[in-house]
Amino acid sequence: MNPDDPLLKILACPLDKGPLHLLTPSDDEAPNSGTQPSAGDALYNPRLHRRYPIVDGIPQLLPSSGEQVTEDEHEELLKRMVP
């Protein structure tokens, strides 16, 4: 998914119905090996500190698919959010 995708304007968090932000991969991350989604392949809800993976270009937006992130990880993810 790219930052210009019109789908990003209509996607919402399944828990609070607020907007989600695309996470861009950081420069120091290794390419995706296929076993774990990279942190760049995700949508993020900074209000609830929840990250939702994007698998094969499809956002996984079930509440059970979201992952709670720690406060330290939250600070790092805020720096990588696409405005």
Coordinates of all heavy atoms in Angstrom, one line a residue:
M1 N 0.9 -1.2 0.0 CA 0.0 0.0 0.0 C 0.9 1.2 0.0 O 1.9 1.3 0.7 CB -0.9 0.0 1.2 CG -1.9 1.1 1.3 SD -3.1 0.9 2.7 CE -4.2 -0.3 1.9
N2 N 0.5 2.2 -0.8 CA 1.4 3.4 -0.9 C 0.6 4.6 -0.2 O -0.6 4.5 -0.1 CB 1.8 3.7 -2.3 CG 0.7 4.1 -3.2 OD1 -0.1 5.0 -2.8 ND2 0.6 3.5 -4.3
P3 N 1.3 5.6 0.2 CA 0.7 6.8 0.9 C -0.4 7.5 0.1 O -1.2 8.2 0.6 CB 1.9 7.7 1.2 CG 3.1 6.9 1.1 CD 2.8 5.8 0.1
D4 N -0.4 7.4 -1.3 CA -1.3 8.0 -2.1 C -2.6 7.2 -2.3 O -3.5 7.7 -3.0 CB -0.7 8.4 -3.4 CG 0.5 9.3 -3.3 OD1 0.5 10.1 -2.3 OD2 1.4 9.3 -4.1
D5 N -2.6 6.0 -1.8 CA -3.8 5.1 -2.0 C -5.1 5.8 -1.5 O -5.1 6.1 -0.3 CB -3.5 3.8 -1.3 CG -4.5 2.7 -1.8 OD1 -5.6 3.0 -2.1 OD2 -4.0 1.6 -1.9
P6 N -6.1 5.9 -2.3 CA -7.4 6.5 -1.8 C -8.0 5.7 -0.7 O -8.8 6.2 0.1 CB -8.2 6.7 -3.0 CG -7.6 5.9 -4.1 CD -6.2 5.6 -3.7
L7 N -7.7 4.4 -0.6 CA -8.3 3.6 0.4 C -7.9 4.0 1.8 O -8.7 3.9 2.7 CB -7.8 2.1 0.2 CG -8.4 1.0 1.0 CD1 -9.9 0.9 0.8 CD2 -7.7 -0.3 0.7
L8 N -6.8 4.7 1.9 CA -6.3 5.2 3.2 C -7.3 6.2 3.8 O -7.4 6.4 5.0 CB -4.9 5.7 3.2 CG -3.8 4.7 3.1 CD1 -2.5 5.4 2.9 CD2 -3.7 3.9 4.3
K9 N -8.0 6.9 3.0 CA -8.9 8.0 3.4 C -10.2 7.4 4.0 O -10.8 8.1 4.8 CB -9.2 8.9 2.3 CG -8.0 9.8 1.8 CD -8.5 10.7 0.7 CE -7.4 11.7 0.4 NZ -6.4 11.5 -0.4
I10 N -10.5 6.2 3.7 CA -11.8 5.6 4.2 C -11.6 4.5 5.2 O -12.5 4.1 5.9 CB -12.7 5.1 3.0 CG1 -12.0 4.0 2.3 CG2 -13.1 6.3 2.2 CD1 -12.9 3.3 1.3
L11 N -10.3 4.0 5.4 CA -10.1 3.0 6.4 C -10.2 3.6 7.8 O -9.7 4.7 8.0 CB -8.7 2.3 6.1 CG -8.6 1.4 4.9 CD1 -7.2 0.9 4.8 CD2 -9.6 0.3 4.9
A12 N -10.7 2.8 8.7 CA -10.9 3.3 10.1 C -10.5 2.1 11.0 O -10.7 0.9 10.7 CB -12.3 3.8 10.3
C13 N -10.1 2.5 12.2 CA -9.8 1.5 13.2 C -11.1 0.8 13.6 O -12.1 1.5 13.8 CB -9.2 2.2 14.5 SG -8.9 1.1 15.9
P14 N -11.1 -0.5 13.7 CA -12.3 -1.2 14.1 C -12.8 -1.0 15.5 O -13.9 -1.2 15.9 CB -12.0 -2.7 13.9 CG -10.5 -2.8 14.0 CD -10.0 -1.4 13.5
L15 N -11.9 -0.5 16.4 CA -12.2 -0.2 17.8 C -12.8 1.2 18.1 O -13.8 1.3 18.7 CB -11.0 -0.5 18.7 CG -10.5 -1.9 18.6 CD1 -9.2 -2.1 19.4 CD2 -11.6 -2.9 19.1
D16 N -12.1 2.2 17.6 CA -12.6 3.6 17.9 C -13.1 4.3 16.7 O -13.5 5.4 16.8 CB -11.5 4.4 18.6 CG -10.4 4.8 17.7 OD1 -10.3 4.5 16.5 OD2 -9.5 5.6 18.2
K17 N -13.1 3.6 15.5 CA -13.6 4.2 14.2 C -12.9 5.4 13.8 O -13.4 6.1 12.9 CB -15.1 4.5 14.3 CG -16.0 3.4 14.9 CD -15.9 2.1 14.1 CE -16.8 1.1 14.6 NZ -16.3 -0.2 15.0
G18 N -11.7 5.7 14.3 CA -10.9 6.9 13.9 C -10.0 6.5 12.8 O -9.8 5.3 12.4
P19 N -9.3 7.5 12.2 CA -8.4 7.3 11.1 C -7.2 6.5 11.5 O -6.7 6.5 12.6 CB -8.0 8.7 10.6 CG -8.2 9.5 11.8 CD -9.4 8.9 12.6
L20 N -6.7 5.8 10.5 CA -5.4 5.0 10.6 C -4.3 5.6 9.8 O -4.6 6.3 8.8 CB -5.6 3.5 10.2 CG -6.6 2.7 11.0 CD1 -7.0 1.4 10.3 CD2 -6.1 2.5 12.4
H21 N -3.1 5.4 10.2 CA -2.0 6.0 9.5 C -1.1 4.9 9.0 O -0.8 4.0 9.7 CB -1.2 6.9 10.5 CG -2.0 8.0 11.0 ND1 -2.2 9.2 10.4 CD2 -2.7 8.1 12.2 CE1 -3.0 10.0 11.1 NE2 -3.3 9.4 12.2
L22 N -0.6 5.1 7.7 CA 0.3 4.2 7.1 C 1.7 4.4 7.7 O 2.2 5.5 7.9 CB 0.4 4.4 5.6 CG 1.3 3.5 4.8 CD1 0.7 2.1 4.9 CD2 1.4 4.0 3.4
L23 N 2.3 3.2 8.1 CA 3.7 3.3 8.6 C 4.6 3.0 7.5 O 4.4 2.1 6.7 CB 3.9 2.2 9.7 CG 3.1 2.4 11.0 CD1 3.3 1.2 11.9 CD2 3.5 3.7 11.6
T24 N 5.7 3.8 7.3 CA 6.7 3.6 6.3 C 7.8 2.9 6.9 O 8.1 3.1 8.1 CB 7.2 5.0 5.8 OG1 7.7 5.8 6.8 CG2 6.0 5.7 5.1
P25 N 8.5 2.0 6.2 CA 9.7 1.3 6.7 C 10.8 2.3 7.0 O 11.0 3.3 6.3 CB 10.1 0.3 5.7 CG 9.2 0.6 4.5 CD 8.2 1.7 4.8
S26 N 11.5 2.1 8.1 CA 12.6 2.9 8.5 C 13.8 2.5 7.6 O 13.9 1.4 7.1 CB 13.0 2.9 9.9 OG 13.3 1.6 10.3
D27 N 14.8 3.4 7.4 CA 15.9 3.1 6.6 C 16.8 2.0 7.1 O 17.5 1.3 6.3 CB 16.8 4.3 6.4 CG 16.1 5.4 5.7 OD1 15.2 5.1 4.9 OD2 16.4 6.6 5.9
D28 N 16.8 1.7 8.4 CA 17.7 0.7 8.9 C 17.1 -0.7 9.0 O 17.7 -1.6 9.5 CB 18.2 1.1 10.3 CG 17.1 1.4 11.3 OD1 15.9 1.6 10.9 OD2 17.3 1.4 12.5
E29 N 15.8 -0.8 8.5 CA 15.2 -2.1 8.6 C 15.6 -3.0 7.4 O 15.8 -2.5 6.3 CB 13.7 -2.0 8.5 CG 13.1 -1.5 9.8 CD 11.6 -1.4 9.8 OE1 11.0 -1.7 8.7 OE2 11.0 -1.1 10.8
A30 N 15.7 -4.3 7.6 CA 16.1 -5.2 6.6 C 14.8 -5.5 5.7 O 13.7 -5.3 6.2 CB 16.5 -6.5 7.2
P31 N 15.0 -5.8 4.5 CA 13.8 -6.2 3.7 C 13.0 -7.3 4.3 O 13.5 -8.1 5.0 CB 14.4 -6.6 2.3 CG 15.8 -6.1 2.3 CD 16.2 -5.9 3.7
N32 N 11.7 -7.4 4.0 CA 10.8 -8.4 4.5 C 11.3 -9.8 4.0 O 11.4 -10.0 2.9 CB 9.4 -8.1 4.1 CG 8.4 -9.0 4.8 OD1 8.8 -9.8 5.6 ND2 7.1 -8.7 4.5
S33 N 11.6 -10.7 5.0 CA 12.0 -12.0 4.6 C 10.9 -12.9 4.3 O 11.1 -14.1 3.9 CB 12.8 -12.6 5.8 OG 12.0 -12.7 6.9
G34 N 9.6 -12.5 4.5 CA 8.5 -13.3 4.2 C 8.0 -14.1 5.5 O 6.9 -14.6 5.4
T35 N 8.7 -14.1 6.5 CA 8.3 -14.9 7.7 C 7.6 -13.9 8.7 O 6.6 -14.4 9.3 CB 9.5 -15.5 8.4 OG1 10.4 -14.5 8.8 CG2 10.2 -16.5 7.6
Q36 N 7.9 -12.7 8.8 CA 7.3 -11.7 9.7 C 7.0 -10.5 8.8 O 7.8 -10.1 8.0 CB 8.3 -11.2 10.7 CG 8.4 -12.0 12.0 CD 7.2 -11.9 12.9 OE1 6.0 -12.0 12.5 NE2 7.5 -11.8 14.2
P37 N 5.8 -9.9 9.0 CA 5.6 -8.7 8.3 C 6.5 -7.6 8.8 O 6.8 -7.5 10.0 CB 4.1 -8.3 8.6 CG 3.7 -9.2 9.7 CD 4.7 -10.3 9.8
S38 N 7.1 -6.8 7.9 CA 7.9 -5.7 8.4 C 7.0 -4.6 9.0 O 5.8 -4.5 8.7 CB 8.7 -5.1 7.2 OG 7.9 -4.4 6.4
A39 N 7.6 -3.8 9.8 CA 6.9 -2.7 10.5 C 6.3 -1.7 9.5 O 5.4 -1.0 9.8 CB 7.7 -2.0 11.5
G40 N 6.9 -1.7 8.2 CA 6.4 -0.8 7.2 C 5.1 -1.3 6.6 O 4.4 -0.6 6.0
D41 N 4.8 -2.6 6.8 CA 3.5 -3.1 6.3 C 2.4 -3.1 7.3 O 2.0 -4.1 7.7 CB 3.8 -4.6 5.8 CG 4.8 -4.7 4.7 OD1 4.8 -3.8 3.8 OD2 5.5 -5.7 4.7
A42 N 2.1 -1.9 7.7 CA 1.1 -1.8 8.8 C 0.4 -0.5 8.8 O 0.8 0.5 8.2 CB 1.8 -2.0 10.1
L43 N -0.8 -0.5 9.4 CA -1.6 0.7 9.6 C -1.6 0.9 11.1 O -1.6 0.0 11.9 CB -3.0 0.6 9.1 CG -3.1 0.5 7.6 CD1 -4.6 0.1 7.2 CD2 -2.7 1.8 6.9
Y44 N -1.5 2.2 11.6 CA -1.3 2.5 13.0 C -2.4 3.4 13.5 O -2.7 4.4 12.9 CB 0.0 3.0 13.2 CG 0.4 3.2 14.7 CD1 0.4 2.1 15.5 CD2 0.7 4.5 15.2 CE1 0.7 2.3 16.9 CE2 1.0 4.6 16.5 CZ 1.0 3.5 17.4 OH 1.3 3.7 18.7
N45 N -2.9 3.1 14.7 CA -3.8 4.0 15.4 C -3.1 4.5 16.6 O -2.9 3.8 17.6 CB -5.1 3.2 15.9 CG -6.0 4.0 16.7 OD1 -5.7 5.1 17.2 ND2 -7.3 3.6 16.8
P46 N -2.6 5.8 16.5 CA -1.8 6.3 17.6 C -2.6 6.6 18.9 O -2.1 6.7 20.0 CB -1.2 7.6 17.1 CG -2.2 8.0 16.0 CD -2.7 6.7 15.4
R47 N -4.0 6.8 18.8 CA -4.8 7.0 19.9 C -4.9 5.8 20.9 O -4.9 6.0 22.1 CB -6.2 7.4 19.5 CG -6.2 8.7 18.6 CD -7.5 8.9 17.9 NE -8.0 7.8 17.1 CZ -7.5 7.4 15.9 NH1 -6.5 8.1 15.3 NH2 -7.9 6.4 15.2
L48 N -4.9 4.6 20.3 CA -5.0 3.4 21.1 C -3.7 2.6 21.1 O -3.7 1.6 21.8 CB -6.2 2.5 20.5 CG -7.6 3.1 20.5 CD1 -8.5 2.1 19.9 CD2 -8.0 3.5 21.9
H49 N -2.7 3.1 20.5 CA -1.4 2.4 20.4 C -1.6 1.0 19.8 O -1.0 0.1 20.3 CB -0.7 2.3 21.7 CG -0.4 3.7 22.3 ND1 0.6 3.8 23.3 CD2 -0.9 4.9 22.2 CE1 0.6 5.1 23.6 NE2 -0.3 5.8 23.0
R50 N -2.3 0.9 18.7 CA -2.6 -0.4 18.0 C -2.1 -0.3 16.6 O -2.3 0.6 15.9 CB -4.0 -0.8 18.1 CG -4.5 -1.1 19.5 CD -5.8 -1.7 19.6 NE -5.9 -3.0 19.0 CZ -5.6 -4.2 19.5 NH1 -5.1 -4.2 20.8 NH2 -5.8 -5.3 18.9
R51 N -1.4 -1.4 16.2 CA -0.9 -1.6 14.9 C -1.6 -2.8 14.2 O -1.8 -3.8 14.8 CB 0.6 -1.9 15.0 CG 1.2 -2.2 13.6 CD 2.7 -2.4 13.7 NE 3.1 -3.2 14.8 CZ 4.3 -3.0 15.5 NH1 5.2 -2.2 15.1 NH2 4.6 -3.8 16.5
Y52 N -2.0 -2.5 13.0 CA -2.8 -3.5 12.2 C -1.9 -3.9 11.0 O -1.5 -3.0 10.2 CB -4.1 -3.0 11.7 CG -5.0 -2.7 12.9 CD1 -5.1 -1.4 13.4 CD2 -5.8 -3.7 13.4 CE1 -5.9 -1.2 14.5 CE2 -6.7 -3.4 14.5 CZ -6.7 -2.2 15.0 OH -7.5 -1.9 16.1
P53 N -1.6 -5.2 10.8 CA -0.7 -5.6 9.7 C -1.4 -5.5 8.3 O -2.7 -5.5 8.2 CB -0.4 -7.1 10.0 CG -1.6 -7.5 10.7 CD -2.1 -6.3 11.5
I54 N -0.6 -5.3 7.3 CA -1.1 -5.4 5.9 C -0.4 -6.6 5.3 O 0.8 -6.7 5.2 CB -0.7 -4.1 5.1 CG1 -1.3 -2.9 5.7 CG2 -1.1 -4.3 3.6 CD1 -0.8 -1.6 5.1
V55 N -1.2 -7.6 4.9 CA -0.7 -8.9 4.4 C -1.1 -9.0 2.9 O -2.3 -8.9 2.6 CB -1.3 -10.1 5.2 CG1 -0.8 -11.4 4.7 CG2 -1.0 -9.9 6.7
D56 N -0.1 -9.1 2.1 CA -0.3 -9.2 0.6 C -1.2 -8.1 0.1 O -2.1 -8.2 -0.7 CB -1.0 -10.6 0.3 CG -0.1 -11.8 0.6 OD1 1.1 -11.6 0.4 OD2 -0.6 -12.8 0.9
G57 N -0.9 -6.9 0.7 CA -1.6 -5.7 0.2 C -3.0 -5.5 0.8 O -3.7 -4.5 0.5
I58 N -3.4 -6.4 1.7 CA -4.8 -6.3 2.3 C -4.7 -6.0 3.8 O -4.1 -6.7 4.6 CB -5.5 -7.6 2.1 CG1 -5.6 -8.0 0.6 CG2 -6.9 -7.6 2.8 CD1 -6.1 -9.4 0.3
P59 N -5.2 -4.8 4.2 CA -5.2 -4.5 5.6 C -6.0 -5.5 6.4 O -7.1 -5.8 6.1 CB -5.8 -3.1 5.7 CG -5.7 -2.6 4.3 CD -5.8 -3.8 3.4
Q60 N -5.5 -6.0 7.5 CA -6.1 -6.9 8.4 C -6.7 -6.1 9.6 O -6.1 -5.8 10.5 CB -5.1 -7.9 8.9 CG -4.4 -8.6 7.9 CD -5.2 -9.5 6.9 OE1 -6.0 -10.3 7.4 NE2 -5.2 -9.2 5.7
L61 N -8.0 -5.7 9.4 CA -8.6 -4.8 10.4 C -9.6 -5.4 11.3 O -10.5 -4.7 11.8 CB -9.3 -3.6 9.6 CG -8.3 -2.7 8.8 CD1 -9.0 -1.7 8.0 CD2 -7.3 -2.1 9.8
L62 N -9.5 -6.7 11.6 CA -10.3 -7.3 12.7 C -9.7 -6.8 14.0 O -8.5 -6.7 14.1 CB -10.3 -8.8 12.6 CG -11.0 -9.4 11.3 CD1 -10.7 -10.9 11.3 CD2 -12.4 -9.1 11.4
P63 N -10.5 -6.6 15.0 CA -10.0 -6.2 16.3 C -8.9 -7.2 16.8 O -7.9 -6.8 17.4 CB -11.2 -6.2 17.2 CG -12.3 -5.8 16.3 CD -12.0 -6.5 15.0
S64 N -9.1 -8.5 16.6 CA -8.2 -9.5 17.0 C -6.8 -9.5 16.2 O -5.8 -10.0 16.7 CB -8.8 -10.9 16.9 OG -9.1 -11.2 15.6
S65 N -6.8 -8.8 15.1 CA -5.6 -8.7 14.3 C -4.7 -7.6 14.7 O -3.5 -7.6 14.4 CB -5.9 -8.4 12.8 OG -6.7 -9.5 12.3
G66 N -5.2 -6.7 15.5 CA -4.4 -5.5 16.0 C -3.5 -6.0 17.1 O -3.7 -6.9 17.8
E67 N -2.4 -5.3 17.1 CA -1.3 -5.6 18.1 C -1.1 -4.3 19.0 O -0.9 -3.2 18.4 CB 0.0 -6.0 17.4 CG 1.1 -6.1 18.3 CD 2.4 -6.3 17.5 OE1 2.6 -5.7 16.4 OE2 3.3 -7.0 18.0
Q68 N -1.2 -4.5 20.3 CA -0.9 -3.3 21.2 C 0.6 -3.1 21.2 O 1.4 -4.1 21.3 CB -1.4 -3.7 22.6 CG -1.5 -2.5 23.5 CD -2.6 -1.6 23.2 OE1 -3.6 -2.1 22.7 NE2 -2.5 -0.4 23.4
V69 N 1.1 -1.9 21.1 CA 2.5 -1.6 21.2 C 2.9 -0.9 22.5 O 2.0 -0.3 23.1 CB 2.9 -0.7 19.9 CG1 2.6 -1.4 18.6 CG2 2.3 0.7 20.0
T70 N 4.1 -1.0 22.8 CA 4.6 -0.4 24.1 C 4.7 1.1 23.9 O 4.7 1.6 22.8 CB 6.0 -1.0 24.5 OG1 6.9 -0.6 23.5 CG2 5.9 -2.5 24.6
E71 N 4.9 1.8 25.0 CA 5.1 3.3 24.9 C 6.3 3.7 24.1 O 6.3 4.6 23.3 CB 5.1 3.9 26.3 CG 5.1 5.4 26.4 CD 3.7 5.9 25.8 OE1 2.7 5.3 26.0 OE2 3.8 7.0 25.2
D72 N 7.4 2.9 24.3 CA 8.7 3.2 23.6 C 8.5 3.0 22.1 O 8.9 3.8 21.2 CB 9.8 2.3 24.1 CG 10.3 2.7 25.5 OD1 10.0 3.9 25.9 OD2 10.8 1.9 26.2
E73 N 7.8 1.9 21.7 CA 7.6 1.6 20.3 C 6.6 2.6 19.7 O 6.8 3.0 18.6 CB 7.0 0.2 20.2 CG 7.0 -0.4 18.8 CD 6.6 -1.8 18.7 OE1 6.1 -2.4 19.7 OE2 6.7 -2.4 17.6
H74 N 5.7 3.1 20.5 CA 4.7 4.1 20.1 C 5.5 5.3 19.6 O 5.2 5.9 18.6 CB 3.7 4.4 21.2 CG 2.9 5.6 21.0 ND1 1.9 5.7 20.0 CD2 2.9 6.9 21.5 CE1 1.3 6.9 20.0 NE2 1.9 7.6 20.9
E75 N 6.5 5.8 20.4 CA 7.3 7.0 20.1 C 8.0 6.8 18.8 O 8.1 7.7 18.0 CB 8.2 7.3 21.2 CG 7.6 7.7 22.5 CD 6.7 9.0 22.4 OE1 7.1 9.9 21.6 OE2 5.7 9.0 23.0
E76 N 8.5 5.6 18.5 CA 9.2 5.3 17.3 C 8.3 5.3 16.1 O 8.6 5.8 15.0 CB 10.0 3.9 17.4 CG 11.2 4.0 18.2 CD 12.3 4.9 17.6 OE1 12.5 4.9 16.4 OE2 12.8 5.7 18.4
L77 N 7.1 4.7 16.3 CA 6.1 4.6 15.2 C 5.6 6.0 14.8 O 5.3 6.3 13.7 CB 4.9 3.7 15.6 CG 5.3 2.2 15.8 CD1 4.1 1.5 16.3 CD2 5.8 1.7 14.5
L78 N 5.5 6.9 15.8 CA 5.0 8.3 15.5 C 6.0 9.0 14.5 O 5.5 9.7 13.7 CB 4.9 9.1 16.8 CG 3.7 8.8 17.7 CD1 3.8 9.6 19.0 CD2 2.4 8.9 17.0
K79 N 7.3 8.7 14.7 CA 8.2 9.3 13.8 C 8.1 8.8 12.3 O 8.6 9.4 11.4 CB 9.7 9.0 14.3 CG 9.9 9.7 15.6 CD 11.3 9.2 16.1 CE 11.5 9.7 17.6 NZ 12.7 9.2 18.2
R80 N 7.6 7.5 12.2 CA 7.5 6.9 10.9 C 6.2 7.0 10.2 O 6.0 6.6 9.1 CB 7.9 5.4 11.0 CG 9.3 5.2 11.5 CD 9.8 3.8 11.3 NE 8.9 2.8 10.8 CZ 8.6 1.7 11.5 NH1 9.1 1.5 12.7 NH2 7.8 0.9 11.0
M81 N 5.2 7.7 10.8 CA 3.9 7.8 10.2 C 4.0 8.8 9.0 O 4.6 9.8 9.1 CB 2.9 8.4 11.2 CG 2.4 7.3 12.2 SD 1.2 7.8 13.4 CE 0.8 9.5 13.1
V82 N 3.2 8.4 8.0 CA 3.1 9.3 6.8 C 2.0 10.3 7.2 O 1.0 10.0 7.6 CB 2.7 8.5 5.6 CG1 2.4 9.4 4.4 CG2 3.7 7.4 5.2
P83 N 2.4 11.6 7.0 CA 1.4 12.7 7.4 C 0.1 12.6 6.5 O 0.0 12.1 5.5 CB 2.1 14.0 7.1 CG 3.4 13.6 6.5 CD 3.6 12.2 6.5

